[in-house]
Amino acid sequence: MADVVLGRAGSPVLVDLNVCAKTGRRTSDRVERRGSTMPAWVTLLLLFTVVGFLLAGAMTSRSYRVTLPLEHAVHDRWRRNRRLAWAVSLVGAGAFVWAESGGTAADGLWGGVGLALFLAGLVGGTVNSTMNNVGFRMTRQDDLVLTRAHDNFARAVAAATVEAMPPADRMDQRRPG
């Protein structure tokens, strides 16, 4: 999987290519993604202080709105699996809370089942995002980077952003005096 610089964070970006960002196959489908991102160093503040993390995150985050080529089948699979992961996690959390508040002999079993379901939803959602979705991050120079993109998409973006230079014999050789 490749990382692709799309433009400046905080400005809308339209990727007008016919290569799916996740599968690398030709597509005419477009998906708009919205969200916000912050520099990676802000996450390190969680090791020291939650309040500092929240303040730095609020001050350095940039919103993004990106329209990119993404097959609807891939996007729909990600959304469906995301809903499933949330449901499994919520059922697990509910079973755990129910088991801890009850007074029956099977509370330990239901607590373990609830905790296992919660963790399964958490792991399943993480795997789903990695396999079926693209991500966004921001560099120190405020560039918006698309992560987990297909190599064919990265090559198509690189080829589209390179401008052809005129041949050397046609360039003006005069220098200002």
Side-chain angles (χ1 to χ4, degrees):
M1 295 185 199
D3 291 352
V4 180
V5 176
L6 295 179
R8 303 291 291 172
S11 62
V13 176
L14 170 66
V15 181
D16 194 20
L17 297 172
N18 289 328
V19 179
C20 177
K22 192 64 184 172
T23 64
R25 296 187 295 248
R26 293 187 58 78
T27 185
S28 60
D29 298 337
R30 299 285 183 267
V31 172
E32 183 177 83
R33 300 291 312 275
R34 294 177 185 213
S36 65
T37 184
M38 60 186 156
W41 65 265
V42 175
T43 308
L44 291 175
L45 289 177
L46 276 174
L47 295 173
F48 306 108
T49 174
V50 173
V51 174
F53 167 77
L54 293 174
L55 287 173
M59 291 188 301
T60 62
S61 68
R62 301 283 184 268
S63 63
Y64 61 84
R65 189 176 81 210
V66 178
T67 303
L68 57 104
L70 191 65
E71 291 180 2
H72 285 303
V74 173
H75 185 66
D76 292 342
R77 182 175 54 234
W78 167 71
R79 288 174 50 141
R80 186 176 50 251
N81 290 343
R82 182 181 65 168
R83 279 189 229 115
L84 177 64
W86 271 103
V88 168
S89 292
L90 286 176
V91 167
F96 184 78
V97 168
W98 178 73
E100 294 303 315
S101 66
T104 64
D107 287 344
L109 174 68
W110 283 109
V113 168
L115 186 60
L117 284 174
F118 179 78
L119 292 176
L122 185 67
V123 170
T126 303
V127 169
N128 175 47
S129 290
T130 302
M131 299 302 292
N132 296 319
N133 198 12
V134 293
F136 295 94
R137 67 177 172 85
M138 188 171 73
T139 65
R140 290 183 182 202
Q141 295 79 22
D142 288 342
D143 290 331
L144 183 65
V145 179
L146 177 74
T147 61
R148 299 187 309 265
H150 196 276
D151 293 332
N152 291 342
F153 178 76
R155 283 191 287 275
V157 169
T161 57
V162 174
E163 293 185 26
M165 293 293 294
D169 59 341
R170 290 189 179 179
M171 293 179 65
D172 188 9
Q173 300 295 332
R174 291 179 291 159
R175 296 177 189 231

